[in-house]
Amino acid sequence: MSATKPIKSICVYCGSGFGDDPVFAENAASLGRSMAEQGINLVYGGGNVGLMGTVAQSVLDHGGYVTGIIPDFLKSRERLLDEVQETIVVPDMHTRKRLMFEKADAFVAMPGGIGTLEELVEQMTWSQLGRHTKPILMLSTKGFWKPLLTLIAHMRDQGFIRPGLELNYLVAERVEDVIPMVEAAARRVGIVENADLIETKF
């Protein structure tokens, strides 16, 4: 890990839809542009739809590198972006998620649906169990992730998130804060990956 460039790739989790406010897509495009301009590769779910397609197209439009990982059964539903430099077609969702984990130095969850939530919570769980120290950040556009943060606080208050098993995550409300925050976290704690300790099937 370079002291000057701790993050070389970011896995972005986000919706296959656009949501009900144009700001979601605007932020996706802005994040993609920032990543490309700073030489940070995008790892994402491979489709051309919704916020996923927006962030990927923005990275490409600004000269960045994109790795798309998509399960075979989704190829017909979410057409691949032709310009993507690296496309990996996998047999199932489990393989997709593992490869996304392995190829990323950090994870950013933008607004999305149940799939985005599931991917975010899985990375938070793996981090909680000591499987990795890669930064995990929620981009809480329009307070999108506040209900989840309230639930996490409730879990802590009820004794289900115990001392020593705290969750490690960052929250940004502005898209321009995303990259500085994950880079600062990576410099502070380093990036450790114990991939062999993550179950092959999850």
Side-chain angles (χ1 to χ4, degrees):
M1 184 177 66
S2 167
T4 57
K5 192 175 181 58
I7 300 293
K8 297 181 177 62
S9 60
I10 294 176
C11 177
V12 177
Y13 302 129
C14 56
S16 58
F18 290 103
D20 63 359
D21 192 311
V23 72
F24 297 132
E26 291 167 7
N27 276 359
S30 179
L31 178 61
R33 182 180 68 248
S34 296
M35 289 175 62
E37 290 175 347
Q38 297 185 47
I40 297 173
N41 298 344
L42 170 68
V43 178
Y44 88 117
N48 73 332
V49 293
L51 300 186
M52 284 199 308
T54 301
V55 68
Q57 190 62 60
S58 181
V59 172
L60 293 168
D61 288 346
H62 293 88
Y65 190 92
V66 176
T67 297
I69 305 172
I70 192 165
D72 188 65
F73 76 92
L74 278 180
K75 281 199 309 181
S76 60
R77 195 182 312 174
E78 301 176 4
R79 190 172 63 81
L80 302 173
L81 288 170
D82 294 335
E83 309 97 304
V84 167
Q85 292 93 337
E86 182 182 22
T87 296
I88 303 172
V89 180
V90 296
D92 52 49
M93 293 290 284
H94 299 307
T95 307
R96 176 201 221 180
K97 291 191 295 180
R98 186 179 184 90
L99 281 177
M100 290 170 83
F101 167 75
E102 291 174 354
K103 288 182 173 291
D105 294 327
F107 307 93
V108 171
M110 297 189 67
I114 197 71
T116 302
L117 175 63
E118 188 261 346
E119 290 169 321
L120 167 64
V121 170
E122 184 169 64
Q123 290 304 338
M124 292 168 72
T125 302
W126 290 355
S127 174
Q128 184 190 42
L129 296 174
R131 304 305 84 170
H132 72 89
T133 62
K134 298 177 180 182
I136 302 165
L137 182 143
M138 289 176 258
L139 177 54
S140 194
T141 304
K142 293 184 64 181
F144 183 85
W145 292 112
K146 281 185 179 179
L148 176 60
L149 297 172
T150 299
L151 177 59
I152 290 170
H154 177 67
M155 292 173 175
R156 187 180 298 111
D157 291 344
Q158 297 298 311
F160 288 100
I161 298 177
R162 302 182 300 281
L165 287 174
E166 284 294 333
L167 301 182
N168 297 308
Y169 59 85
L170 306 164
V171 181
E173 295 186 354
R174 304 186 313 157
V175 68
E176 56 264 38
D177 293 333
V178 170
I179 294 175
M181 287 176 69
V182 296
E183 287 186 334
R187 288 193 181 99
R188 186 171 63 251
V189 302
I191 294 175
V192 177
E193 175 184 330
N194 297 317
D196 56 321
L197 298 178
I198 295 176
E199 293 82 359
T200 302
K201 296 184 182 298
F202 18 80

